[in-house]
Amino acid sequence: MDAPTFRTLQPVRRSSRPIGRDEGIVLLGSCFSDSVGTRLVRDGFRASVNPMGALYNPLSIAGAVSRALGSRAYGNDDLTTVDGTSHCLDFESHRQGPDPEALLTKLNDDFGRFADTLVDASTVILTFGTAWVFSLAGTRHVVGNCHKLPQTFFERRRVTVDEIVDTWRPLLTALAPRRVILTVSPVRHLADGLHGNQLSKATLLLAVERLCNECGAEYFPSYEIALDDLRDYRFYAADLKHLSDTAVDYIYDIFGETYFTPETMRMAKESRRSALRAAHRPILTDNNNENLC
C-alpha cells in the first residue's frame, strides 16, 4: 500500500525566460510584494520594492503605473485637504502634511524616482491583494489608502473582473517589452468578512487569468501554494492572516526554482550568506568576560 500523502504540492514549471541578477525588477502591490521583494534585494538582485508604499487593489496599482509611464507630476488638484492637512490618497498615510507645496515636492521627487526605476525595469511583478476599493464620495477616483479619514468621505465597492481587465489591458501593452508577472496575495482581508474575502480573491484570480490569456502576462501561484500546500495555521503569523517568515521563504524558494537558473540560484545563496554575516552582531565582552550586549 502506498504511503499516505499529507500535502498538495504545487508543481514547479520552470520559466523559459529566467530572471537575471543584473536586470531591473520592480515589485508593486500588497505587503506580500514587500516580503518577496526584500528577499530579492537580500539575495543581490537589482530590485525596487513598493517605492511608493504598499498598494492593495489592482486599480490603485494601475493608476500608479499609468502615471509613471506618462511622466505625469502631481499637482494641487491631486490633493485632498481636511482640517488644514493635505493628503495624497493615492498612497500610504505618510503622504500627508500641513504644507501642500512641501508635500508635492517630496511626493514628486519620490514618484519621479519610481518612474525612472519602472522605465529601467526588465521585469515587473504585481501582487493584487483585494478587489474591494474605496472611492472618494461623489467621484470614481479609487484611493490607495484612506489615511484614517472619516468613512463618510468614501464609497466602498467590489470591482468587477471586466473592470480590472479593461484597466490593465492597455497598461500591459504599454509595459511591453517588459515581462509582467502577476500574482494574488494569499493574505486574507478579514475586514471584508470570510465570504467577502473569498469573493474578492476569486475576482482577482479570474481577472489575472484573462490578463495572462489575452495579454501575455505570466502567473505565479503564490495564492495556491499558501492555501493548498501550506494549509496549516503553523505557517501563519500571530494575526492568522499574514504568512510566517517560514511560509514566505518556502514560496520564495519555489519562485526561485521557477525563474532562476542554477547559476543564479548559487549566486543568490552566496549573497544571502554575506547578508546574514553582515547582519550578525558578535557578542562583545570586557576584560572580565561579562557580556556588554
Side-chain angles (χ1 to χ4, degrees), residues 54-110:
L55 294 169
Y56 298 94
N57 73 78
L59 299 194
S60 290
I61 301 170
V65 170
S66 176
R67 185 181 283 267
L69 291 176
S71 299
R72 300 197 312 274
Y74 278 87
N76 285 308
D77 290 344
D78 299 306
L79 302 181
T80 299
T81 301
V82 181
D83 296 332
T85 299
S86 295
H87 303 258
C88 179
L89 299 176
D90 286 355
F91 304 110
E92 290 181 336
S93 57
H94 67 277
R95 305 291 179 180
Q96 61 176 288
D99 183 343
E101 293 306 317
L103 174 61
L104 285 172
T105 297
K106 180 68 167 65
L107 179 64
N108 282 318
D109 285 347
D110 292 344

Side-chain angles (χ1 to χ4, degrees), residues 20-173:
R21 280 167 55 86
D22 59 342
E23 69 179 81
I25 306 169
V26 171
L27 296 97
L28 300 172
S30 77
C31 52
F32 186 73
S33 287
D34 292 325
S35 298
V36 173
T38 54
R39 285 161 172 78
L40 285 170
V41 172
R42 175 202 63 190
D43 289 355
F45 289 87
R46 196 158 59 90
S48 175
V49 187
N50 273 339
M52 298 301 291
L55 294 169
Y56 298 94
N57 73 78
L59 299 194
S60 290
I61 301 170
V65 170
S66 176
R67 185 181 283 267
L69 291 176
S71 299
R72 300 197 312 274
Y74 278 87
N76 285 308
D77 290 344
D78 299 306
L79 302 181
T80 299
T81 301
V82 181
D83 296 332
T85 299
S86 295
H87 303 258
C88 179
L89 299 176
D90 286 355
F91 304 110
E92 290 181 336
S93 57
H94 67 277
R95 305 291 179 180
Q96 61 176 288
D99 183 343
E101 293 306 317
L103 174 61
L104 285 172
T105 297
K106 180 68 167 65
L107 179 64
N108 282 318
D109 285 347
D110 292 344
F111 195 78
R113 284 190 289 272
F114 158 55
D116 290 341
T117 62
L118 187 62
V119 168
D120 182 56
S122 299
T123 296
V124 179
I125 303 172
L126 306 172
T127 303
F128 296 163
T130 179
W132 291 96
V133 301
F134 288 87
S135 302
L136 276 173
T139 75
R140 296 288 291 179
H141 180 70
V142 175
V143 303
N145 193 292
C146 293
H147 289 208
K148 298 183 179 180
L149 294 177
Q151 205 168 23
T152 53
F153 279 65
F154 306 100
E155 297 171 349
R156 182 174 180 270
R157 64 188 175 89
R158 191 177 72 240
V159 295
T160 66
V161 173
D162 286 342
E163 191 173 358
I164 297 170
V165 172
D166 290 344
T167 299
W168 272 100
R169 187 185 290 112
L171 280 178
L172 292 177
T173 299

